[in-house]
Amino acid sequence: MAFIADALSRVKPSPTIAVTTKAAELRAAGVDVIGLGAGEPDFDTPDNIKEAAIKAIQEGQTKYTPADGTPAVKQAVCTKFARDNGLKYEPNQITVNNGGKHTIYNAFVATLNPGDEVIIPAPYWVSYPDMTLLAGGEPVFVEATIENNFKMTADQLEAAITDNTKWVIINSPSNPSGAAYNHDEMKALTDVLLKYPHVWVMSDDMYEHIVYDDFDFVTPAQVEPKLYDRTLTINGVAKAYAMTGWRIGFAGGPVELINAIRKVQSQSTSNPCSISQAAAVEALAGTQDFLAPRAEAFKKRRDLVVGMLNEAEGLSCITPEGAFYVYPSCAGVIGKKTPDGKVIENDLDFCTYILESEGVAAVHGEAFGLSPHFRVSYATSEEALTDACTRIQRACAALT
Ligand SMILES: Cc1ncc(COP(=O)(O)O)c(C=O)c1O
């Protein structure tokens, strides 16, 4: 009898963490490595949020809280959804969890039965397929290619729906492509979903506040109120508020689903950290003034990176609407030879080549389900980005 559960054999470890580990090993061995793999802002958590956490400690908010969040944090989440998304939720429609990742995992555990399908547009955030598998479901991939700006079309969505479809995931702006659906593009998808009442919508809005060029962020339940009763609108404080380590994610949705998620959470992790919940209240209900300047700083970096990558021989990079990632195609280097005589067969070979020859750590596209591409996170300084892109240009120029 095997000791490790069969379910785990369906799951692979996170490939983004693998790249970070390899880069750290090279760095420890004295190699000058620039990491473009990180999925977190380099900015610090704003002071007002830190102070709210310190105050919570001093006031003794150090005990268990209700399993899926304090009344105060649930109220702050309701305020956020009303203010930013025009969505009216009551506190009993809110769940607060240990990061957005935990929100998604809880929702899958609470709803998936064997054979249930989850439609996942590719390129996708690496955890969606594995969390689906761990919870007993089946991922169904839809390729959102560069020709369509990495966006799933209405026809593609409709073709992927079967009687077994339980969820479709919409992640806009996307990790890893940065692509975001505008109102009309989202409406085209929600129009399809209106025809299939058994399909639920999981909207992962984690990068909502990191959008550029006056892009108007929209979320499915806002664009199509008729979907409100079968949509889980997920968000968190990690990316916009630079709070990745605090581990707070949340969602709004129908009471029955929220109660089911609470049941899962109450028998697994219990409440998210009480102090982080107090900090999240300040993040969500306090000043939002720093969001725009931070998005502006990310936009400058996006423009720098897109410009420089497009100058690299064999690479081509479209300009995404949001998040802090670009997802260039490396189709033009496939089949070329490195100075060591090795043929670049795929995007993993290319990423290995730029890591070993120039010390640039990026994640290969296969990890996100769409090749030949690679993901560059530009959540680092302009100086480091300029250096990294110069190195990538040099590596590309050395291929024959
Ligand atoms: C698309 C997407 N969803 C969810 C998450 C999870 O965020 P959290 O840190 O809140 O768990 C991430 C983090 O990388 C992400 O990129």
Side-chain angles (χ1 to χ4, degrees), residues 61 63 65 97-98 246-248 271-278:
Q61 292 182 40
K63 310 280 197 232
T65 75
N97 325 95
N98 298 284
W246 299 72
R247 309 311 301 136
I248 295 288
N271 63 274
C273 169
S274 58
I275 296 145
S276 297
Q277 290 188 65

Side-chain angles (χ1 to χ4, degrees), residues 235-246:
N235 214 315
V237 294
K239 313 291 176 172
Y241 302 94
M243 293 174 69
T244 45
W246 299 72

Side-chain angles (χ1 to χ4, degrees), residues 2-21:
F3 178 62
I4 302 298
D6 292 347
L8 268 188
S9 67
R10 309 177 80 199
V11 173
K12 58 184 179 329
S14 164
T16 44
I17 292 175
V19 169
T20 315
T21 310

Side-chain angles (χ1 to χ4, degrees), residues 156-202:
Q156 283 181 306
L157 170 60
E158 188 148 23
I161 294 174
T162 72
D163 290 347
N164 295 328
T165 308
K166 186 151 260 175
W167 289 102
V168 55
I169 299 183
I170 298 179
N171 172 218
S172 165
S174 149
N175 175 5
S177 71
Y181 294 90
N182 64 29
H183 181 277
D184 291 353
E185 291 161 344
M186 188 68 87
K187 184 79 173 60
L189 299 180
T190 58
D191 280 351
V192 169
L193 292 165
L194 282 180
K195 295 194 253 170
Y196 300 92
H198 68 289
V199 179
W200 282 63
V201 187
M202 184 177 285

Side-chain angles (χ1 to χ4, degrees), residues 103-389:
T103 312
I104 299 167
Y105 186 64
N106 279 346
F108 283 156
V109 171
T111 58
L112 292 180
N113 289 314
D116 284 350
E117 294 172 358
V118 178
I119 297 177
I120 304 175
Y124 46 71
W125 179 46
V126 291
S127 294
Y128 298 141
D130 292 284
M131 290 201 283
T132 302
L133 290 165
L134 255 185
E138 299 298 332
V140 172
F141 301 112
V142 172
E143 281 205 352
T145 58
I146 193 166
E147 288 74 29
N148 203 37
N149 298 323
F150 302 117
K151 294 176 196 177
M152 174 170 65
T153 65
D155 287 346
Q156 283 181 306
L157 170 60
E158 188 148 23
I161 294 174
T162 72
D163 290 347
N164 295 328
T165 308
K166 186 151 260 175
W167 289 102
V168 55
I169 299 183
I170 298 179
N171 172 218
S172 165
S174 149
N175 175 5
S177 71
Y181 294 90
N182 64 29
H183 181 277
D184 291 353
E185 291 161 344
M186 188 68 87
K187 184 79 173 60
L189 299 180
T190 58
D191 280 351
V192 169
L193 292 165
L194 282 180
K195 295 194 253 170
Y196 300 92
H198 68 289
V199 179
W200 282 63
V201 187
M202 184 177 285
S203 187
D204 179 345
D205 300 349
M206 204 57 76
Y207 295 91
E208 162 181 21
H209 292 297
I210 308 174
V211 289
Y212 314 118
D213 309 315
D214 298 323
F215 181 85
D216 224 350
F217 171 86
V218 289
T219 188
Q222 166 194 29
V223 168
E224 181 45 81
K226 291 195 197 103
L227 292 178
Y228 176 88
D229 287 333
R230 51 186 168 105
T231 298
L232 188 66
T233 305
I234 299 174
N235 214 315
V237 294
K239 313 291 176 172
Y241 302 94
M243 293 174 69
T244 45
W246 299 72
R247 309 311 301 136
I248 295 288
F250 53 83
V255 172
E256 190 189 356
L257 172 60
I258 296 299
N259 288 348
I261 290 175
R262 183 190 315 120
K263 204 171 183 182
V264 173
Q265 182 152 306
S266 69
Q267 294 294 20
S268 50
T269 61
S270 293
N271 63 274
C273 169
S274 58
I275 296 145
S276 297
Q277 290 188 65
V281 171
E282 176 63 18
L284 297 172
T287 177
Q288 306 292 300
D289 285 355
F290 56 87
L291 294 177
R294 287 188 173 187
E296 196 50 38
F298 276 132
K299 176 186 142 64
K300 272 179 78 186
R301 298 169 181 185
R302 176 201 64 174
D303 292 343
L304 170 90
V305 167
V306 170
M308 287 190 76
L309 290 176
N310 276 322
E311 281 165 23
E313 239 170 277
L315 303 186
S316 103
C317 185
I318 60 172
T319 303
E321 291 89 350
F324 38 70
Y325 310 104
V326 289
Y327 201 59
S329 162
C330 54
V333 302
I334 305 296
K336 289 192 175 178
K337 254 196 204 143
T338 70
D340 294 344
K342 193 175 175 306
V343 177
I344 307 273
E345 311 257 7
N346 51 41
D347 48 29
L348 176 59
D349 285 351
F350 179 68
C351 287
T352 306
Y353 167 59
I354 59 172
L355 181 58
E356 289 177 351
S357 67
E358 292 286 353
V360 176
V363 186
H364 58 294
E366 195 215 315
F368 307 98
L370 191 77
S371 292
H373 288 269
F374 61 106
R375 188 191 75 173
V376 166
S377 163
Y378 53 86
T380 187
S381 71
E382 285 178 42
E383 197 188 352
L385 292 169
T386 306
D387 188 2
C389 291

Side-chain angles (χ1 to χ4, degrees), residues 1-54:
M1 187 177 65
F3 178 62
I4 302 298
D6 292 347
L8 268 188
S9 67
R10 309 177 80 199
V11 173
K12 58 184 179 329
S14 164
T16 44
I17 292 175
V19 169
T20 315
T21 310
K22 172 116 200 243
E25 279 167 15
L26 283 172
R27 220 175 263 129
V31 181
D32 166 26
V33 175
I34 307 179
L36 301 179
E40 62 184 350
D42 53 330
F43 298 121
D44 197 5
T45 305
D47 283 343
N48 62 312
I49 299 173
K50 290 183 184 171
E51 278 151 21
I54 292 165

